[in-house]
Structure formats: C-alpha cells, structure tokens
Amino acid sequence: MTPATINPSTLPAPGAGRVVSLAWPMTLKAIFLHGTVVIDGLLISALGETSLAAVGLAAAIGGLVSGAIFAFSSALQLRTAQAFGTGDPVFRKSVLASGLTIGLGIGLLGVFVIVFFGRAILDATAPSPEIAAQAWSYLSIFAVVILAEAVGQNLASHFNGCGRTKLPLYGYCASVPVNILISVLLIHGLWGAPALGIAGAAIGSALAVSLQALYLIYQLYRTDAGLRNVAGWRNLTFAASLRRHVSFSWPIAVTFISANYAARVCMLIYAQMSITAFAAMTLIMPWVMVAGTIGMQWAQATGILVAQLLGENRSARELDHFLSAAWRASFFAAATVALVYVAICLASPVLYPALSDQTRNILIGFVWVLALLPFPKQSNAICGNTLRASGDTIYVMHLFVWSQWLFRVPATALAVLYLDLSAFWVLSLLFWEEILKFPLFHLRLWQGKWKQADVTV
C-alpha cells in the first residue's frame, strides 16, 4: 500500500514518545554542527591570529548567504510536514520543488556576489592586505559549500518534515570525519599533501558538505523517486505553487535572519563592557546556544507533528491531547537544559583554569539566570512552532522581531552603554525578553484558531 492510499486520520494520534523519536536526531545534528565549528577553529588556530582573522572575515560574508538558505529551509520543514500529513503526493512534490528552487536561487545569487564582488568587499573591510588575500582564498572555495548547502539543507528539511530525521543525522555523521581529515591534511601538508593553509580548511568543508548533499540526494531517490512521476502542481501551476510557498516561508525566514543579526549587534555592544565581563559573556553565549538546542529541537519536532496532524485534518480534541502531552514532556527538556547551564557555570573554574578569579566569579554568578531561562523559552518555543505549523507565521514573526529590536537590543545598549550594569543583569535581558513574549504567545495559542487552520491551501 502506498502512502497516498493510507488515511492517516484513522491512525492513533502521536504522543510525546513520537516527539522524542523526531527530536533526538535533530538535537544531535545541531550539537555536532556547533562542535564542528569549534573543531575548525582549533585546527586553524595553529596557523596564528592572522589566519583566524581571515577565516572569521570570510565566514562572516559567506555566513550571510548560508544563513538565508538555512532560514528558508526551516520554513520548508514545516510546509513539508503539512503536505506529508495530507498524504497528497502532488502537494509534497510542489513543496519540495519550491523549496529547492528558493534555496538554489539564494545560493546562486550568493555565489554571483562572491565571484564578482567578494574580493572588493574583503579588500575594503580587512584590516590588512594579507588578511584580505587569505580571506579570499577561503571565501572563493567556500562558494562550493554554499551551493552544496542550498541542496543539502533543503533535502534535510524535507526528510525532517516527513518524520525521517535520522537520515540527515546519518549524512552529517558521515561528512564530519571527512571534513576533519581532509582539513588536517591540507592545512598542514601532512603525508605528502600540499600545505594550503586556510584554503585547505575550505576544501575540507567543501568536500564534506558536498558528500552530505550527495548522500541526501541518494536517499531522496531511494525513498521518494516516485514524486518525479507525479503529474500536476498543487496550485495548478508551478509558479503559483512557488508564490504560495514564498508567502508561507518569508516570515519564518525573516524571524531567523533577524535573530542572527540581533545576536551579532548585542555581541558588539557586549564588547563595550569591562574585559572580564566581556570575556564571561563571550564564553557563556556559545554554551547558551549549544545546550539550548535540546529544548529548541524538541519544539521544532512538536511543530512538525502539529503540521502533520493539521494536514491529516485531525479533530481539535486530538490536537489538544497531543499538544498537552508534548508540552508537559517539554519541561523535562527545559530542566535538562537548565541543569547543563548550572553545571557549566559551577564547573567554570575547572573548564577555564587560566581565567582570572573575577571572570570565573561572573560565570558562576550567571547560574541563577540560566537556571530559569529555559522554562519560559521552552514554552514560548512550543507556542511559536505550533502557530507556525498552522500557518500563523506573520504573528510569530512580529513577536520575535519586535521583542528583539524594540526590547533586547535597545535594553542591552541602555544597560551597557549608559547604566553600566553588571554582566548578570545584562545576561538577564534574555530571560526578560522571554517573559515579555510569554503572554502574547500563550494568549494567541489559547484562542484556538490554529486548530481550525486549513494548511492544504
């Protein structure tokens, strides 16, 4: 029996266990991704500060394109889940083709800008000609990474939306050793290989990401080859299907891009704090991101299942039952994140023995904020992903964007530049931002309109 002949609404609604089965591969992939960034930094650090600065500059430019691809692929994940829930192969084909078209369009535009304007941008922004030259050697190869990500990220989102979250994880696990091995060989010229410096690191990343994309293409052929033979488009024409996909996706993409820029602006403001306070903020923020993926991936998995259930046209009672179970269980994820934060803060004297006592005391003092932060953040994330799954993407976008740019960024500037508050109170603004969003998210969800959403249009 093919998936199109199954009536999903006759099957039992999933419970919290199904969220776990979707969330843990997504969580591991996200954690490994952040870990790989750390490993890349360690490999390149042996070349000195000039090389590190060059990679940082090149990655900042390339990251703008990669970030846009990731933002739109996140929207594809939910739209795919809606299509998967309906069991309509025409809908699934239309969503996949639209997502790949947008991703490749962004990737090709980014490569065009890099090829024709990248060197000029680097010459204008680099602190020295040597750094500009090294950054160009990295960025010119990184263009391959962008094109591979345009395919790989969107195929990973397709599989996540279909509930096959292990496939992207397997692809990523296969590519990581390739990245590390090739990078080490080509950076330092080991075993007869040419010593290419940071260009070798870019080649390692390009080969690894390309391998991952090829693996996902193979998996797409293996699992969904039949979509090629499906006739027609969801909205009668491909152009109409693409426009519908863009209208669903752009608010989600704007949300992710805005969050990225707001975080960067806040880091620039943190740089105006005392050296010890800035050092503490610099050390804790990556941990906040890495450990926080546990709760965020749980929320994304919940959103995927809500989208599938809406596509299956489940009753309001079934939707309430599933979301209540997923919500209650999500607080275990939040508690896990809180425990990790507490452990990092308390273990900071062991993790960072070379730091001054003042910096370590600041890190330990963060424990109270970080022990509380995951709980409202987790609940807000469940609300946000549920509302997005129902198509209420613009409301969610407004909440995130305006809380960032009307509260967090100006409040951070006020606290650091004018009030000279301690690092504890500056970090606590992350918690107060979640408290600000809390009633607006929950009231919207409790109105219940999301349960009547027609995701098939």
Side-chain angles (χ1 to χ4, degrees), residues 233-271:
W233 298 99
R234 179 66 179 179
N235 301 90
L236 299 181
T237 66
F238 175 67
S241 296
L242 182 62
R243 286 194 298 271
R244 176 67 186 95
H245 190 84
V246 170
S247 68
F248 176 86
S249 302
W250 75 262
I252 299 176
V254 167
T255 302
F256 278 88
I257 294 170
S258 173
N260 184 25
Y261 277 96
R264 291 174 184 268
V265 171
C266 285
M267 284 302 299
L268 292 175
I269 298 173
Y270 297 156

Side-chain angles (χ1 to χ4, degrees), residues 271-322:
Q272 307 306 310
M273 303 169 72
S274 67
I275 295 177
T276 54
F278 181 54
M281 296 293 290
T282 302
L283 289 172
I284 203 62
M285 293 309 291
W287 286 111
V288 170
M289 181 181 298
V290 172
T293 58
I294 298 172
M296 292 305 99
Q297 296 307 316
W298 181 280
Q300 286 198 22
T302 300
I304 289 172
L305 289 171
V306 168
Q308 291 181 358
L309 293 173
L310 288 170
E312 295 169 9
N313 199 26
R314 295 294 185 120
S315 67
R317 182 183 61 81
E318 290 177 297
L319 291 168
D320 280 334
H321 177 76
F322 164 72

Side-chain angles (χ1 to χ4, degrees), residues 62-298:
L64 294 175
V65 184
S66 298
I69 292 171
F70 174 80
F72 276 95
S73 70
S74 298
L76 173 64
Q77 185 169 275
L78 285 176
R79 191 64 174 159
T80 299
Q82 294 174 347
F84 184 81
T86 65
D88 181 357
V90 176
F91 196 177
R92 289 176 60 197
K93 184 192 80 168
S94 301
V95 170
L96 177 59
S98 298
L100 285 172
T101 299
I102 293 171
L104 284 171
I106 295 171
L108 290 171
L109 178 61
V111 170
F112 175 85
V113 172
I114 288 173
V115 170
F116 290 98
F117 304 103
R119 186 58 193 263
I121 294 172
L122 291 173
D123 288 339
T125 56
S128 71
E130 181 184 2
I131 291 177
Q134 287 199 40
W136 174 244
S137 70
Y138 185 93
L139 185 60
S140 59
I141 300 169
F142 192 80
V144 177
V145 176
I146 290 173
L147 291 177
E149 283 186 338
V151 176
Q153 285 282 4
N154 284 285
L155 290 183
S157 292
H158 168 77
F159 288 124
N160 287 342
C162 295
R164 306 181 194 127
T165 56
K166 292 181 183 178
L167 292 181
L169 173 63
Y170 294 155
Y172 191 78
C173 289
S175 68
V176 168
V178 173
N179 189 359
I180 296 174
L181 178 62
I182 299 299
S183 295
V184 170
L185 289 177
L186 295 181
I187 288 173
H188 303 289
L190 302 179
W191 301 336
L196 302 178
I198 65 173
I203 293 173
S205 297
L207 290 175
V209 176
S210 298
L211 175 64
Q212 184 181 2
L214 289 173
Y215 169 80
L216 292 174
I217 290 172
Y218 164 73
Q219 291 296 340
L220 180 69
Y221 176 80
R222 187 180 67 84
T223 59
D224 293 307
L227 293 179
R228 294 180 304 168
N229 302 319
V230 174
W233 298 99
R234 179 66 179 179
N235 301 90
L236 299 181
T237 66
F238 175 67
S241 296
L242 182 62
R243 286 194 298 271
R244 176 67 186 95
H245 190 84
V246 170
S247 68
F248 176 86
S249 302
W250 75 262
I252 299 176
V254 167
T255 302
F256 278 88
I257 294 170
S258 173
N260 184 25
Y261 277 96
R264 291 174 184 268
V265 171
C266 285
M267 284 302 299
L268 292 175
I269 298 173
Y270 297 156
Q272 307 306 310
M273 303 169 72
S274 67
I275 295 177
T276 54
F278 181 54
M281 296 293 290
T282 302
L283 289 172
I284 203 62
M285 293 309 291
W287 286 111
V288 170
M289 181 181 298
V290 172
T293 58
I294 298 172
M296 292 305 99
Q297 296 307 316
W298 181 280

Side-chain angles (χ1 to χ4, degrees), residues 46 208 324 377 451:
S324 296
K377 186 174 183 177
K451 288 178 281 191

